[in-house]
Amino acid sequence: MTGIHGRRGPFTDGDTVQLTDPKGRMHTITLSEGGAFHSHKGKVEHADLIGQPEGSVVRSNTGTAYVALRPLLIDYTLSMKRGATIVYPKDAAQVLVEADIFPGARVVEAGAGSGAMSNWLLRAVGEQGMVHSYERRADFAEIARKNVERFHGGPHPAWKLTVGDLVESLDETDVDRVFLDMLAPWECLDAVAGALIPGGLVCCYVATTTQLSRVVEELREDPRFYEPRSWETMLRTWHVEGLAVRPDHRMIGHTGFLVVARRLADGAEAPERRRRPAKGAYGKDFTPVREREGRGGAGADAVASAESVASAPPEGGAAVPSAGPTEPVTPAEPTTPTEPETGPPAAEPDDDAR
């Protein structure tokens, strides 16, 4: 089940079809006997499409030509009805690659939003895998359900949708991957760690730098996860027409940040990660998560090491005195030359200068 009714053969009643006009505008319709597509460019009878091969060109009653194709998942994602903001295709592609979503994988997703990421995950895991999506809002969950079922022509056998909070409702175990698209993913780390298998992966999708900083630091201080990685992806299209080859004036810039981290085996303690943060990266009032919760361990040592590195003098600079008591230091006597300097005597100014 790959979506859009198997994606092969001539158009049939009930198929989803994408009509593209000469200006590149796309119109998504569902074919039905006796139906018609209306626009300011005229009318296209559905009967003119049913039975035709994909890639046909049809004309409206005013002569406007349309290219008829089954929509790609990227087209469907951008045109489907939305409740919550979707995960854009450029980020969905990064999730599938960087989170290593493989056929047969067991994946937990929260929240489902409009169902865009659910479709990408379902395509990646296949019918032998499982995607369990959680969504707090019932109205968003209903939109996600309709979008997924419309794309696949009915309920997908590998998809389960639950209306509820992930922390309270998660009952999955032996999960390979977890994808979190929510406001505060760090609040779910305990539930996620309990569901993931050793070596499993959590991927977080957040919109702001403050969210990015918080989730990375919380993952870094959690002994159940290995060092997180974070990044964002930007997409710039190009205008290519004859000698006019240049970047498009508009581009999809920032949409969100992605963070991935691997689950360690129970009882495993990762070696201290050596970093050289910028001076002042950890302020004097900074307290690691482990220390705040009384856990201690390698995380606190890593921060202490980072602070010592940050306070270290630059190469060739003066040493920084320690915080403890020290012996008073007597300033050295100024050094004076013992021998008069040698060299040509300074020239005296002439009479005109005087």
Side-chain angles (χ1 to χ4, degrees):
M1 179 178 287
T2 58
I4 308 298
H5 297 247
R7 304 193 60 83
R8 288 189 176 186
F11 294 127
T12 61
D13 185 17
D15 270 2
T16 300
V17 178
Q18 180 178 278
L19 299 178
T20 306
D21 67 17
K23 290 188 175 180
R25 289 187 291 250
M26 298 179 182
H27 310 272
T28 303
I29 64 173
T30 300
L31 297 181
S32 62
E33 293 287 351
F37 164 69
H38 296 268
S39 74
H40 67 286
K41 296 292 186 180
K43 179 177 70 172
V44 176
E45 299 286 350
H46 288 193
D48 295 339
L49 287 165
I50 294 176
Q52 296 298 313
E54 186 175 3
S56 297
V57 177
V58 294
R59 293 184 178 273
S60 68
N61 60 342
T62 61
T64 301
Y66 292 89
V67 177
L69 295 163
R70 290 186 175 94
L72 304 175
L73 180 50
I74 184 174
D75 301 322
Y76 182 83
T77 298
L78 295 175
S79 65
M80 69 187 191
K81 181 181 178 181
R82 303 182 190 181
T85 302
I86 64 169
V87 176
Y88 271 79
K90 71 181 183 70
D91 296 320
Q94 287 284 298
V95 172
L96 298 184
V97 173
E98 295 284 351
D100 193 38
I101 309 298
F102 57 91
R106 295 171 56 86
V107 181
V108 166
E109 174 198 18
S114 299
M117 196 64 217
S118 302
N119 274 327
W120 291 107
L121 292 171
L122 286 169
R123 168 167 289 181
V125 303
E127 294 187 23
Q128 302 305 314
M130 183 67 193
V131 176
H132 193 162
S133 301
Y134 291 82
E135 175 55 55
R136 288 180 176 178
R137 292 183 51 168
D139 54 340
F140 285 176
E142 181 62 19
I143 293 173
R145 184 187 62 79
K146 289 181 178 179
N147 283 332
V148 171
E149 292 186 358
R150 183 187 180 197
F151 182 75
H152 293 283
H156 196 290
W159 190 49
K160 181 180 178 182
L161 177 62
T162 298
V163 179
D165 185 87
L166 177 73
V167 174
E168 300 173 356
S169 306
L170 180 62
D171 57 2
E172 298 290 306
T173 57
D174 295 327
V175 172
D176 299 295
R177 305 289 185 262
V178 175
F179 176 71
L180 302 178
D181 178 11
M182 57 178 60
L183 184 64
W186 50 87
E187 295 177 353
C188 303
L189 294 185
D190 280 338
V192 168
L196 279 173
I197 63 172
L201 182 146
V202 59
C203 178
C204 304
Y205 184 61
V206 293
T208 69
T209 54
T210 50
Q211 290 173 296
L212 173 66
S213 175
R214 179 72 181 272
V215 71
V216 167
E217 293 299 339
E218 295 282 352
L219 282 167
R220 185 172 285 159
E221 293 301 325
D222 193 318
R224 296 166 295 186
F225 293 96
Y226 190 51
E227 182 71 11
R229 295 188 297 107
S230 57
W231 74 97
E232 69 171 324
T233 304
M234 296 187 181
L235 175 67
R236 183 174 73 175
T237 57
W238 280 67
H239 173 90
V240 180
E241 187 173 346
L243 297 178
V245 180
R246 55 167 174 75
D248 279 330
H249 295 306
R250 299 178 63 183
M251 66 174 288
I252 299 175
H254 172 75
T255 51
F257 301 102
L258 286 166
V259 180
V260 296
R262 301 292 296 274
R263 173 71 158 93
L264 293 174
D266 291 335
E269 184 172 344
E272 178 183 325
R273 186 73 174 217
R274 298 190 179 276
R275 306 185 196 90
R276 294 186 65 86
K279 186 175 182 180
Y282 296 93
K284 63 180 181 180
D285 297 327
F286 174 78
T287 305
V289 175
R290 295 184 184 185
E291 189 174 315
R292 291 200 303 268
E293 297 180 357
R295 299 201 301 261
D301 295 339
V303 173
S305 174
E307 289 176 339
S308 66
V309 171
S311 62
E315 187 175 349
V320 179
S322 63
T326 59
E327 294 294 331
V329 179
T330 304
E333 293 290 338
T335 304
T336 56
T338 56
E339 297 291 337
E341 295 182 0
T342 60
E348 293 188 2
D350 56 23
D351 294 337
D352 293 339
R354 292 191 184 98

